[in-house]
Amino acid sequence: MSAMARRLPAQLPRAAYPFTNRVDTLARLDDLLIVNGHAPRTGLVSGVPGVGKSAVVVQWARAQHGRFLDGQLYARLGPQGCGAGEALEGFLAELGCPAALMPSTVQGRQAMYRTLTEDKDLLVMIDDAQGEADIELLTPSSPQAVVVVTSRQVLPEAIAGLGAEYVAVSPMPVGECVAMLKERLSGPRFTGQAAGFRELAVLCRGLPQAILLSAARLSTSDSLSVAWLCAELREAGAGGPVGRLLDLSCEALADEAAAVYRIAGLLGGEDLPSDLIEVAAGRPVLRDLRELTRLHLACETEPGRFTILEAAREHAAAAGHNDPAAALIACRAAGWAWQMAAAADYATTPVRLRYAPEPSSRPFSSKGQAQRWLGAHRKQMVRVVSLGAAYGCHELVWQLAEAMWALFAHRPFLEDWITVHVAGAAAAQESGAVAAEAAIRARLARGYAEHGMTAQAHEQAGWAVMLAQAAWDDGVEHRERLMGMAYEFQGIVHLHAGEPAAAEVSFRKALEFNESVEYDRGIALQSLHLGRALLAQGKTREAAGSMRRSVRHATDTGSEARACAGLGAVLHVAGETSEAAQQLQHALAIAEEHALVRHQGDILAVLAAIAADGGRSSEAEGLRARATAAYIEAGAAQAADA
């Protein structure tokens, strides 16, 4: 060893310029400077390709130049670098080991490296490590040393085995991306480009490498404008620079994990239950989902629910749609969604008119449990409807749309309501399911009416009545109830359009059809609607009578809650405050027990009005706040008014 000359290594790459923000990441790296006196501190900096892992580590390491008195070592591993054994040989040479004394085996070099570094105050940067073995081989022995590793993978073995501090690097916020562009692009040509820069930042998905590539193209081509580049990136989609960066991560995936990445992308990529992905894949997928998480392509937002990284969602979706099995995946997902939604529908309203078969299982033990499940899975259900429609799963799509009425009747997220029913009506038409199409178009009419789209609402309501009549002529099962339903929703459309007299006519027709088959639930609902139409015409006494009939015929908790709430509202108008409050409190107890959130909002709003009329302003304010919260949770239009 006496032949070795002491040298001071200084191998770090140059720092990136401009370097923007990353204050939180730099602060996490500062924690590595706290010496524990037992072993070198190790930091694992991980993220997707192009997110700026190396840039932030080099920036931090260069700022610590005076802290590490024995120098700084650097090795780039992976496909664009060298192997860990070759890097170790380079480290030894940099530390002064002549070629003649270089050990011939990796084990011998590692032993010499540990000897040479046992008292060194060194910083070692390992770029693009592929596994724990790489890090272990290149870690010095001195407790004063610090090792900073970058990797596209999480490398849990390194975190557990080496005690590495994990530092995740996420895509940059849009504002920081814009700042980076402004640093790179100056002069009159780029003045007033704030909006263009923001769009470019969004298209680059917060990945600094994509931002810098875009800035380089703009700065080297006078004929290329920001608007033109944005248009080019939009058209390229997943084939643009962001997609090419993500391809690097996907190349490291096993075939099974790559298939799950495509499936998750096809399903929308956001907040996906693992059981949905498993059904779509036709096999267990949890191990593959963990692999996506390890490579920063996905994260587990809560136990059993996974989301594709936002920057990768478009890339995953494009890969999914290009999968030869996309149609099969879509139909599997639609089948799962229908089974679950139908089970929730039966748990919510066991006796409702349906034309789809019964689900094969009943996993929900109560209406409240079913409603909570539907609320938690609404976005996934809507995405599956659209996906199934795109891939021709017509039978399943209309059956799923029919089942999802259990959700929208109580949580009317109107955009989703309309999306689902437009797709469901078209699917029923494609399937030749005339009665189902009539029912779905009737509900679509109500969705349009609540959204203020009166012309579309009237069109769909008229279409529903016509289809119900055609189904009647064909002798469809439960045709009286179907005709009653079509006229019911036509009446609701009239009521929303400010046409209470026309609504009364439609509701009386609906009531007649339900009376003809002695269908108590239908009688209760039509009496309720009729009471509202009468009240809107100032016929308070008739309205109260119709509402009391609704209460008498209510056969399930949902109908009972609505009937009592309707009666309470009419009694409030009639000045019978005490009975009104009693009916409303009873209705509220039912609605809260069964998670009927929208009805809670309606009931609380009337109770607030009663309190205000009684001069109890503080109580009224509290009730209005609760009503607003319920409307917001239900996605009801009243939330915007509140």
Side-chain angles (χ1 to χ4, degrees), residues 4-39:
M4 299 182 188
R6 176 178 172 82
R7 301 196 315 167
L8 190 64
Q11 294 187 318
L12 289 176
R14 66 178 180 84
Y17 178 82
F19 183 83
T20 305
N21 207 309
R22 297 295 195 190
V23 173
D24 292 343
T25 307
L26 293 171
R28 291 287 308 280
L29 291 172
D30 282 342
D31 293 341
L32 297 174
L33 298 176
I34 303 171
V35 177
N36 59 29
H38 303 289

PDB file of all heavy atoms in Angstrom, residues 4-39:
ATOM      1  N   MET A   4       0.975   3.435  -3.048  1.00  0.00           N
ATOM      2  CA  MET A   4      -0.194   4.193  -3.479  1.00  0.00           C
ATOM      3  C   MET A   4      -0.043   5.665  -3.124  1.00  0.00           C
ATOM      4  O   MET A   4       0.265   6.018  -2.000  1.00  0.00           O
ATOM      5  CB  MET A   4      -1.461   3.637  -2.814  1.00  0.00           C
ATOM      6  CG  MET A   4      -1.745   2.194  -3.175  1.00  0.00           C
ATOM      7  SD  MET A   4      -3.268   1.637  -2.415  1.00  0.00           S
ATOM      8  CE  MET A   4      -3.194  -0.104  -2.801  1.00  0.00           C
ATOM      9  N   ALA A   5      -0.270   6.500  -4.095  1.00  0.00           N
ATOM     10  CA  ALA A   5      -0.191   7.947  -3.875  1.00  0.00           C
ATOM     11  C   ALA A   5      -1.567   8.470  -3.468  1.00  0.00           C
ATOM     12  O   ALA A   5      -2.577   8.071  -4.032  1.00  0.00           O
ATOM     13  CB  ALA A   5       0.285   8.642  -5.136  1.00  0.00           C
ATOM     14  N   ARG A   6      -1.597   9.332  -2.470  1.00  0.00           N
ATOM     15  CA  ARG A   6      -2.866   9.897  -2.026  1.00  0.00           C
ATOM     16  C   ARG A   6      -3.352  10.931  -3.021  1.00  0.00           C
ATOM     17  O   ARG A   6      -2.616  11.830  -3.406  1.00  0.00           O
ATOM     18  CB  ARG A   6      -2.698  10.529  -0.642  1.00  0.00           C
ATOM     19  CG  ARG A   6      -3.967  11.241  -0.155  1.00  0.00           C
ATOM     20  CD  ARG A   6      -3.784  11.817   1.219  1.00  0.00           C
ATOM     21  NE  ARG A   6      -4.918  12.638   1.599  1.00  0.00           N
ATOM     22  CZ  ARG A   6      -6.046  12.182   2.083  1.00  0.00           C
ATOM     23  NH1 ARG A   6      -6.216  10.890   2.224  1.00  0.00           N
ATOM     24  NH2 ARG A   6      -7.031  12.990   2.424  1.00  0.00           N
ATOM     25  N   ARG A   7      -4.623  10.784  -3.423  1.00  0.00           N
ATOM     26  CA  ARG A   7      -5.249  11.769  -4.295  1.00  0.00           C
ATOM     27  C   ARG A   7      -6.608  12.139  -3.713  1.00  0.00           C
ATOM     28  O   ARG A   7      -7.189  11.386  -2.935  1.00  0.00           O
ATOM     29  CB  ARG A   7      -5.442  11.201  -5.707  1.00  0.00           C
ATOM     30  CG  ARG A   7      -4.126  10.763  -6.342  1.00  0.00           C
ATOM     31  CD  ARG A   7      -4.255  10.560  -7.848  1.00  0.00           C
ATOM     32  NE  ARG A   7      -5.455   9.810  -8.222  1.00  0.00           N
ATOM     33  CZ  ARG A   7      -5.887   9.735  -9.486  1.00  0.00           C
ATOM     34  NH1 ARG A   7      -5.239  10.371 -10.438  1.00  0.00           N
ATOM     35  NH2 ARG A   7      -6.957   9.037  -9.780  1.00  0.00           N
ATOM     36  N   LEU A   8      -7.128  13.280  -4.109  1.00  0.00           N
ATOM     37  CA  LEU A   8      -8.433  13.733  -3.623  1.00  0.00           C
ATOM     38  C   LEU A   8      -9.453  13.575  -4.752  1.00  0.00           C
ATOM     39  O   LEU A   8      -9.443  14.345  -5.709  1.00  0.00           O
ATOM     40  CB  LEU A   8      -8.361  15.190  -3.166  1.00  0.00           C
ATOM     41  CG  LEU A   8      -9.589  15.715  -2.415  1.00  0.00           C
ATOM     42  CD1 LEU A   8      -9.760  14.955  -1.102  1.00  0.00           C
ATOM     43  CD2 LEU A   8      -9.442  17.198  -2.146  1.00  0.00           C
ATOM     44  N   PRO A   9     -10.323  12.567  -4.680  1.00  0.00           N
ATOM     45  CA  PRO A   9     -11.287  12.351  -5.761  1.00  0.00           C
ATOM     46  C   PRO A   9     -12.272  13.516  -5.870  1.00  0.00           C
ATOM     47  O   PRO A   9     -12.711  14.074  -4.853  1.00  0.00           O
ATOM     48  CB  PRO A   9     -12.018  11.069  -5.343  1.00  0.00           C
ATOM     49  CG  PRO A   9     -11.178  10.450  -4.281  1.00  0.00           C
ATOM     50  CD  PRO A   9     -10.469  11.571  -3.605  1.00  0.00           C
ATOM     51  N   ALA A  10     -12.621  13.847  -7.088  1.00  0.00           N
ATOM     52  CA  ALA A  10     -13.621  14.895  -7.350  1.00  0.00           C
ATOM     53  C   ALA A  10     -14.379  14.499  -8.610  1.00  0.00           C
ATOM     54  O   ALA A  10     -14.254  15.128  -9.657  1.00  0.00           O
ATOM     55  CB  ALA A  10     -12.960  16.253  -7.491  1.00  0.00           C
ATOM     56  N   GLN A  11     -15.186  13.444  -8.517  1.00  0.00           N
ATOM     57  CA  GLN A  11     -15.772  12.817  -9.703  1.00  0.00           C
ATOM     58  C   GLN A  11     -17.198  13.261 -10.035  1.00  0.00           C
ATOM     59  O   GLN A  11     -17.756  12.819 -11.032  1.00  0.00           O
ATOM     60  CB  GLN A  11     -15.774  11.291  -9.521  1.00  0.00           C
ATOM     61  CG  GLN A  11     -14.394  10.664  -9.471  1.00  0.00           C
ATOM     62  CD  GLN A  11     -14.499   9.147  -9.466  1.00  0.00           C
ATOM     63  OE1 GLN A  11     -15.347   8.575  -8.789  1.00  0.00           O
ATOM     64  NE2 GLN A  11     -13.622   8.502 -10.224  1.00  0.00           N
ATOM     65  N   LEU A  12     -17.792  14.105  -9.217  1.00  0.00           N
ATOM     66  CA  LEU A  12     -19.195  14.444  -9.457  1.00  0.00           C
ATOM     67  C   LEU A  12     -19.396  15.106 -10.815  1.00  0.00           C
ATOM     68  O   LEU A  12     -18.578  15.919 -11.253  1.00  0.00           O
ATOM     69  CB  LEU A  12     -19.703  15.393  -8.370  1.00  0.00           C
ATOM     70  CG  LEU A  12     -19.889  14.804  -6.974  1.00  0.00           C
ATOM     71  CD1 LEU A  12     -20.289  15.902  -6.005  1.00  0.00           C
ATOM     72  CD2 LEU A  12     -20.936  13.703  -6.982  1.00  0.00           C
ATOM     73  N   PRO A  13     -20.504  14.791 -11.488  1.00  0.00           N
ATOM     74  CA  PRO A  13     -20.834  15.503 -12.732  1.00  0.00           C
ATOM     75  C   PRO A  13     -21.114  16.970 -12.429  1.00  0.00           C
ATOM     76  O   PRO A  13     -21.319  17.367 -11.270  1.00  0.00           O
ATOM     77  CB  PRO A  13     -22.090  14.799 -13.230  1.00  0.00           C
ATOM     78  CG  PRO A  13     -22.198  13.536 -12.439  1.00  0.00           C
ATOM     79  CD  PRO A  13     -21.512  13.784 -11.146  1.00  0.00           C
ATOM     80  N   ARG A  14     -21.169  17.766 -13.486  1.00  0.00           N
ATOM     81  CA  ARG A  14     -21.491  19.188 -13.285  1.00  0.00           C
ATOM     82  C   ARG A  14     -22.951  19.317 -12.862  1.00  0.00           C
ATOM     83  O   ARG A  14     -23.801  18.486 -13.204  1.00  0.00           O
ATOM     84  CB  ARG A  14     -21.233  19.984 -14.562  1.00  0.00           C
ATOM     85  CG  ARG A  14     -22.135  19.630 -15.725  1.00  0.00           C
ATOM     86  CD  ARG A  14     -21.838  20.516 -16.928  1.00  0.00           C
ATOM     87  NE  ARG A  14     -22.717  20.182 -18.048  1.00  0.00           N
ATOM     88  CZ  ARG A  14     -23.944  20.670 -18.192  1.00  0.00           C
ATOM     89  NH1 ARG A  14     -24.448  21.486 -17.265  1.00  0.00           N
ATOM     90  NH2 ARG A  14     -24.675  20.336 -19.229  1.00  0.00           N
ATOM     91  N   ALA A  15     -23.238  20.369 -12.140  1.00  0.00           N
ATOM     92  CA  ALA A  15     -24.609  20.611 -11.682  1.00  0.00           C
ATOM     93  C   ALA A  15     -25.468  21.102 -12.835  1.00  0.00           C
ATOM     94  O   ALA A  15     -24.979  21.738 -13.771  1.00  0.00           O
ATOM     95  CB  ALA A  15     -24.615  21.632 -10.549  1.00  0.00           C
ATOM     96  N   ALA A  16     -26.766  20.785 -12.776  1.00  0.00           N
ATOM     97  CA  ALA A  16     -27.694  21.236 -13.805  1.00  0.00           C
ATOM     98  C   ALA A  16     -27.957  22.728 -13.653  1.00  0.00           C
ATOM     99  O   ALA A  16     -28.016  23.256 -12.539  1.00  0.00           O
ATOM    100  CB  ALA A  16     -29.008  20.473 -13.677  1.00  0.00           C
ATOM    101  N   TYR A  17     -28.102  23.397 -14.785  1.00  0.00           N
ATOM    102  CA  TYR A  17     -28.485  24.803 -14.755  1.00  0.00           C
ATOM    103  C   TYR A  17     -29.535  25.027 -15.842  1.00  0.00           C
ATOM    104  O   TYR A  17     -29.350  24.584 -16.977  1.00  0.00           O
ATOM    105  CB  TYR A  17     -27.299  25.722 -15.002  1.00  0.00           C
ATOM    106  CG  TYR A  17     -27.721  27.184 -15.012  1.00  0.00           C
ATOM    107  CD1 TYR A  17     -27.884  27.869 -13.819  1.00  0.00           C
ATOM    108  CD2 TYR A  17     -28.018  27.830 -16.204  1.00  0.00           C
ATOM    109  CE1 TYR A  17     -28.319  29.186 -13.817  1.00  0.00           C
ATOM    110  CE2 TYR A  17     -28.453  29.146 -16.209  1.00  0.00           C
ATOM    111  CZ  TYR A  17     -28.609  29.815 -15.023  1.00  0.00           C
ATOM    112  OH  TYR A  17     -29.055  31.115 -15.018  1.00  0.00           O
ATOM    113  N   PRO A  18     -30.628  25.701 -15.525  1.00  0.00           N
ATOM    114  CA  PRO A  18     -30.980  26.188 -14.191  1.00  0.00           C
ATOM    115  C   PRO A  18     -31.510  25.052 -13.317  1.00  0.00           C
ATOM    116  O   PRO A  18     -32.054  24.079 -13.825  1.00  0.00           O
ATOM    117  CB  PRO A  18     -32.073  27.207 -14.475  1.00  0.00           C
ATOM    118  CG  PRO A  18     -32.741  26.674 -15.707  1.00  0.00           C
ATOM    119  CD  PRO A  18     -31.657  26.045 -16.537  1.00  0.00           C
ATOM    120  N   PHE A  19     -31.329  25.212 -12.010  1.00  0.00           N
ATOM    121  CA  PHE A  19     -31.894  24.255 -11.063  1.00  0.00           C
ATOM    122  C   PHE A  19     -33.032  24.945 -10.330  1.00  0.00           C
ATOM    123  O   PHE A  19     -32.848  26.032  -9.771  1.00  0.00           O
ATOM    124  CB  PHE A  19     -30.837  23.781 -10.073  1.00  0.00           C
ATOM    125  CG  PHE A  19     -31.361  22.730  -9.127  1.00  0.00           C
ATOM    126  CD1 PHE A  19     -31.408  21.409  -9.525  1.00  0.00           C
ATOM    127  CD2 PHE A  19     -31.821  23.073  -7.863  1.00  0.00           C
ATOM    128  CE1 PHE A  19     -31.899  20.428  -8.666  1.00  0.00           C
ATOM    129  CE2 PHE A  19     -32.318  22.103  -7.005  1.00  0.00           C
ATOM    130  CZ  PHE A  19     -32.357  20.776  -7.411  1.00  0.00           C
ATOM    131  N   THR A  20     -34.207  24.332 -10.345  1.00  0.00           N
ATOM    132  CA  THR A  20     -35.407  24.984  -9.819  1.00  0.00           C
ATOM    133  C   THR A  20     -35.922  24.264  -8.580  1.00  0.00           C
ATOM    134  O   THR A  20     -36.196  23.069  -8.625  1.00  0.00           O
ATOM    135  CB  THR A  20     -36.512  25.005 -10.897  1.00  0.00           C
ATOM    136  OG1 THR A  20     -35.990  25.632 -12.066  1.00  0.00           O
ATOM    137  CG2 THR A  20     -37.733  25.761 -10.419  1.00  0.00           C
ATOM    138  N   ASN A  21     -36.014  24.991  -7.506  1.00  0.00           N
ATOM    139  CA  ASN A  21     -36.688  24.573  -6.274  1.00  0.00           C
ATOM    140  C   ASN A  21     -36.164  23.253  -5.711  1.00  0.00           C
ATOM    141  O   ASN A  21     -34.992  23.152  -5.396  1.00  0.00           O
ATOM    142  CB  ASN A  21     -38.206  24.526  -6.503  1.00  0.00           C
ATOM    143  CG  ASN A  21     -38.972  24.752  -5.212  1.00  0.00           C
ATOM    144  OD1 ASN A  21     -38.729  24.108  -4.204  1.00  0.00           O
ATOM    145  ND2 ASN A  21     -39.881  25.697  -5.220  1.00  0.00           N
ATOM    146  N   ARG A  22     -37.030  22.252  -5.538  1.00  0.00           N
ATOM    147  CA  ARG A  22     -36.722  20.974  -4.890  1.00  0.00           C
ATOM    148  C   ARG A  22     -36.238  21.179  -3.453  1.00  0.00           C
ATOM    149  O   ARG A  22     -35.405  20.431  -2.940  1.00  0.00           O
ATOM    150  CB  ARG A  22     -35.657  20.202  -5.683  1.00  0.00           C
ATOM    151  CG  ARG A  22     -36.080  19.804  -7.095  1.00  0.00           C
ATOM    152  CD  ARG A  22     -37.220  18.813  -7.064  1.00  0.00           C
ATOM    153  NE  ARG A  22     -37.425  18.157  -8.349  1.00  0.00           N
ATOM    154  CZ  ARG A  22     -38.467  17.388  -8.643  1.00  0.00           C
ATOM    155  NH1 ARG A  22     -39.418  17.204  -7.735  1.00  0.00           N
ATOM    156  NH2 ARG A  22     -38.590  16.823  -9.821  1.00  0.00           N
ATOM    157  N   VAL A  23     -36.774  22.190  -2.789  1.00  0.00           N
ATOM    158  CA  VAL A  23     -36.332  22.540  -1.438  1.00  0.00           C
ATOM    159  C   VAL A  23     -36.558  21.381  -0.469  1.00  0.00           C
ATOM    160  O   VAL A  23     -35.684  21.052   0.350  1.00  0.00           O
ATOM    161  CB  VAL A  23     -37.065  23.814  -0.952  1.00  0.00           C
ATOM    162  CG1 VAL A  23     -36.743  24.094   0.509  1.00  0.00           C
ATOM    163  CG2 VAL A  23     -36.681  24.994  -1.817  1.00  0.00           C
ATOM    164  N   ASP A  24     -37.727  20.740  -0.561  1.00  0.00           N
ATOM    165  CA  ASP A  24     -38.040  19.652   0.373  1.00  0.00           C
ATOM    166  C   ASP A  24     -37.080  18.475   0.188  1.00  0.00           C
ATOM    167  O   ASP A  24     -36.628  17.871   1.169  1.00  0.00           O
ATOM    168  CB  ASP A  24     -39.483  19.185   0.163  1.00  0.00           C
ATOM    169  CG  ASP A  24     -40.496  20.233   0.585  1.00  0.00           C
ATOM    170  OD1 ASP A  24     -40.107  21.151   1.326  1.00  0.00           O
ATOM    171  OD2 ASP A  24     -41.665  20.137   0.172  1.00  0.00           O
ATOM    172  N   THR A  25     -36.778  18.140  -1.062  1.00  0.00           N
ATOM    173  CA  THR A  25     -35.864  17.020  -1.319  1.00  0.00           C
ATOM    174  C   THR A  25     -34.465  17.334  -0.808  1.00  0.00           C
ATOM    175  O   THR A  25     -33.798  16.480  -0.205  1.00  0.00           O
ATOM    176  CB  THR A  25     -35.822  16.708  -2.824  1.00  0.00           C
ATOM    177  OG1 THR A  25     -37.160  16.507  -3.304  1.00  0.00           O
ATOM    178  CG2 THR A  25     -35.003  15.457  -3.106  1.00  0.00           C
ATOM    179  N   LEU A  26     -34.008  18.544  -1.044  1.00  0.00           N
ATOM    180  CA  LEU A  26     -32.680  18.950  -0.561  1.00  0.00           C
ATOM    181  C   LEU A  26     -32.619  18.882   0.963  1.00  0.00           C
ATOM    182  O   LEU A  26     -31.600  18.470   1.536  1.00  0.00           O
ATOM    183  CB  LEU A  26     -32.353  20.354  -1.055  1.00  0.00           C
ATOM    184  CG  LEU A  26     -32.157  20.504  -2.575  1.00  0.00           C
ATOM    185  CD1 LEU A  26     -32.055  21.973  -2.950  1.00  0.00           C
ATOM    186  CD2 LEU A  26     -30.914  19.755  -3.044  1.00  0.00           C
ATOM    187  N   ALA A  27     -33.702  19.277   1.620  1.00  0.00           N
ATOM    188  CA  ALA A  27     -33.736  19.221   3.086  1.00  0.00           C
ATOM    189  C   ALA A  27     -33.666  17.779   3.582  1.00  0.00           C
ATOM    190  O   ALA A  27     -32.998  17.486   4.589  1.00  0.00           O
ATOM    191  CB  ALA A  27     -35.008  19.900   3.603  1.00  0.00           C
ATOM    192  N   ARG A  28     -34.350  16.864   2.880  1.00  0.00           N
ATOM    193  CA  ARG A  28     -34.276  15.445   3.256  1.00  0.00           C
ATOM    194  C   ARG A  28     -32.847  14.923   3.121  1.00  0.00           C
ATOM    195  O   ARG A  28     -32.369  14.151   3.954  1.00  0.00           O
ATOM    196  CB  ARG A  28     -35.208  14.617   2.366  1.00  0.00           C
ATOM    197  CG  ARG A  28     -36.697  14.850   2.592  1.00  0.00           C
ATOM    198  CD  ARG A  28     -37.179  14.229   3.892  1.00  0.00           C
ATOM    199  NE  ARG A  28     -36.813  12.829   4.010  1.00  0.00           N
ATOM    200  CZ  ARG A  28     -37.458  11.814   3.436  1.00  0.00           C
ATOM    201  NH1 ARG A  28     -38.521  12.057   2.695  1.00  0.00           N
ATOM    202  NH2 ARG A  28     -37.053  10.572   3.631  1.00  0.00           N
ATOM    203  N   LEU A  29     -32.156  15.345   2.076  1.00  0.00           N
ATOM    204  CA  LEU A  29     -30.774  14.911   1.881  1.00  0.00           C
ATOM    205  C   LEU A  29     -29.860  15.496   2.961  1.00  0.00           C
ATOM    206  O   LEU A  29     -28.880  14.851   3.367  1.00  0.00           O
ATOM    207  CB  LEU A  29     -30.291  15.307   0.489  1.00  0.00           C
ATOM    208  CG  LEU A  29     -30.948  14.538  -0.674  1.00  0.00           C
ATOM    209  CD1 LEU A  29     -30.541  15.142  -2.008  1.00  0.00           C
ATOM    210  CD2 LEU A  29     -30.571  13.068  -0.627  1.00  0.00           C
ATOM    211  N   ASP A  30     -30.170  16.679   3.420  1.00  0.00           N
ATOM    212  CA  ASP A  30     -29.363  17.277   4.502  1.00  0.00           C
ATOM    213  C   ASP A  30     -29.349  16.399   5.745  1.00  0.00           C
ATOM    214  O   ASP A  30     -28.373  16.396   6.511  1.00  0.00           O
ATOM    215  CB  ASP A  30     -29.914  18.665   4.869  1.00  0.00           C
ATOM    216  CG  ASP A  30     -29.503  19.738   3.864  1.00  0.00           C
ATOM    217  OD1 ASP A  30     -28.547  19.498   3.096  1.00  0.00           O
ATOM    218  OD2 ASP A  30     -30.136  20.803   3.851  1.00  0.00           O
ATOM    219  N   ASP A  31     -30.430  15.641   5.954  1.00  0.00           N
ATOM    220  CA  ASP A  31     -30.497  14.769   7.131  1.00  0.00           C
ATOM    221  C   ASP A  31     -29.411  13.700   7.104  1.00  0.00           C
ATOM    222  O   ASP A  31     -29.044  13.149   8.151  1.00  0.00           O
ATOM    223  CB  ASP A  31     -31.869  14.098   7.207  1.00  0.00           C
ATOM    224  CG  ASP A  31     -32.992  15.094   7.493  1.00  0.00           C
ATOM    225  OD1 ASP A  31     -32.684  16.200   7.982  1.00  0.00           O
ATOM    226  OD2 ASP A  31     -34.161  14.765   7.219  1.00  0.00           O
ATOM    227  N   LEU A  32     -28.896  13.396   5.910  1.00  0.00           N
ATOM    228  CA  LEU A  32     -27.847  12.371   5.806  1.00  0.00           C
ATOM    229  C   LEU A  32     -26.528  12.829   6.417  1.00  0.00           C
ATOM    230  O   LEU A  32     -25.636  12.020   6.663  1.00  0.00           O
ATOM    231  CB  LEU A  32     -27.622  11.999   4.333  1.00  0.00           C
ATOM    232  CG  LEU A  32     -28.808  11.360   3.603  1.00  0.00           C
ATOM    233  CD1 LEU A  32     -28.468  11.181   2.129  1.00  0.00           C
ATOM    234  CD2 LEU A  32     -29.171  10.027   4.235  1.00  0.00           C
ATOM    235  N   LEU A  33     -26.380  14.126   6.649  1.00  0.00           N
ATOM    236  CA  LEU A  33     -25.125  14.656   7.193  1.00  0.00           C
ATOM    237  C   LEU A  33     -24.984  14.392   8.689  1.00  0.00           C
ATOM    238  O   LEU A  33     -23.928  14.634   9.270  1.00  0.00           O
ATOM    239  CB  LEU A  33     -25.040  16.160   6.924  1.00  0.00           C
ATOM    240  CG  LEU A  33     -25.038  16.559   5.435  1.00  0.00           C
ATOM    241  CD1 LEU A  33     -25.062  18.073   5.302  1.00  0.00           C
ATOM    242  CD2 LEU A  33     -23.826  15.977   4.722  1.00  0.00           C
ATOM    243  N   ILE A  34     -26.060  13.911   9.304  1.00  0.00           N
ATOM    244  CA  ILE A  34     -26.006  13.612  10.739  1.00  0.00           C
ATOM    245  C   ILE A  34     -25.294  12.269  10.915  1.00  0.00           C
ATOM    246  O   ILE A  34     -25.849  11.209  10.636  1.00  0.00           O
ATOM    247  CB  ILE A  34     -27.421  13.565  11.346  1.00  0.00           C
ATOM    248  CG1 ILE A  34     -28.152  14.888  11.091  1.00  0.00           C
ATOM    249  CG2 ILE A  34     -27.355  13.256  12.837  1.00  0.00           C
ATOM    250  CD1 ILE A  34     -29.617  14.854  11.464  1.00  0.00           C
ATOM    251  N   VAL A  35     -24.068  12.292  11.379  1.00  0.00           N
ATOM    252  CA  VAL A  35     -23.247  11.082  11.506  1.00  0.00           C
ATOM    253  C   VAL A  35     -23.728  10.257  12.698  1.00  0.00           C
ATOM    254  O   VAL A  35     -23.961  10.792  13.788  1.00  0.00           O
ATOM    255  CB  VAL A  35     -21.761  11.448  11.671  1.00  0.00           C
ATOM    256  CG1 VAL A  35     -20.917  10.196  11.873  1.00  0.00           C
ATOM    257  CG2 VAL A  35     -21.282  12.239  10.460  1.00  0.00           C
ATOM    258  N   ASN A  36     -23.872   8.923  12.483  1.00  0.00           N
ATOM    259  CA  ASN A  36     -24.322   8.082  13.590  1.00  0.00           C
ATOM    260  C   ASN A  36     -23.168   7.422  14.343  1.00  0.00           C
ATOM    261  O   ASN A  36     -23.368   6.818  15.389  1.00  0.00           O
ATOM    262  CB  ASN A  36     -25.302   7.016  13.091  1.00  0.00           C
ATOM    263  CG  ASN A  36     -24.695   6.108  12.037  1.00  0.00           C
ATOM    264  OD1 ASN A  36     -23.482   5.875  12.019  1.00  0.00           O
ATOM    265  ND2 ASN A  36     -25.537   5.592  11.146  1.00  0.00           N
ATOM    266  N   GLY A  37     -21.914   7.493  13.786  1.00  0.00           N
ATOM    267  CA  GLY A  37     -20.741   6.951  14.458  1.00  0.00           C
ATOM    268  C   GLY A  37     -20.562   5.458  14.339  1.00  0.00           C
ATOM    269  O   GLY A  37     -19.607   4.894  14.876  1.00  0.00           O
ATOM    270  N   HIS A  38     -21.499   4.776  13.633  1.00  0.00           N
ATOM    271  CA  HIS A  38     -21.429   3.316  13.538  1.00  0.00           C
ATOM    272  C   HIS A  38     -21.255   2.825  12.101  1.00  0.00           C
ATOM    273  O   HIS A  38     -20.534   1.864  11.858  1.00  0.00           O
ATOM    274  CB  HIS A  38     -22.682   2.680  14.138  1.00  0.00           C
ATOM    275  CG  HIS A  38     -22.930   3.077  15.559  1.00  0.00           C
ATOM    276  ND1 HIS A  38     -22.138   2.637  16.597  1.00  0.00           N
ATOM    277  CD2 HIS A  38     -23.877   3.893  16.110  1.00  0.00           C
ATOM    278  CE1 HIS A  38     -22.590   3.152  17.739  1.00  0.00           C
ATOM    279  NE2 HIS A  38     -23.636   3.918  17.467  1.00  0.00           N
ATOM    280  N   ALA A  39     -21.946   3.456  11.172  1.00  0.00           N
ATOM    281  CA  ALA A  39     -21.926   2.994   9.782  1.00  0.00           C
ATOM    282  C   ALA A  39     -22.180   4.192   8.874  1.00  0.00           C
ATOM    283  O   ALA A  39     -22.727   5.217   9.316  1.00  0.00           O
ATOM    284  CB  ALA A  39     -22.989   1.927   9.567  1.00  0.00           C
TER     285      ALA A  39
END
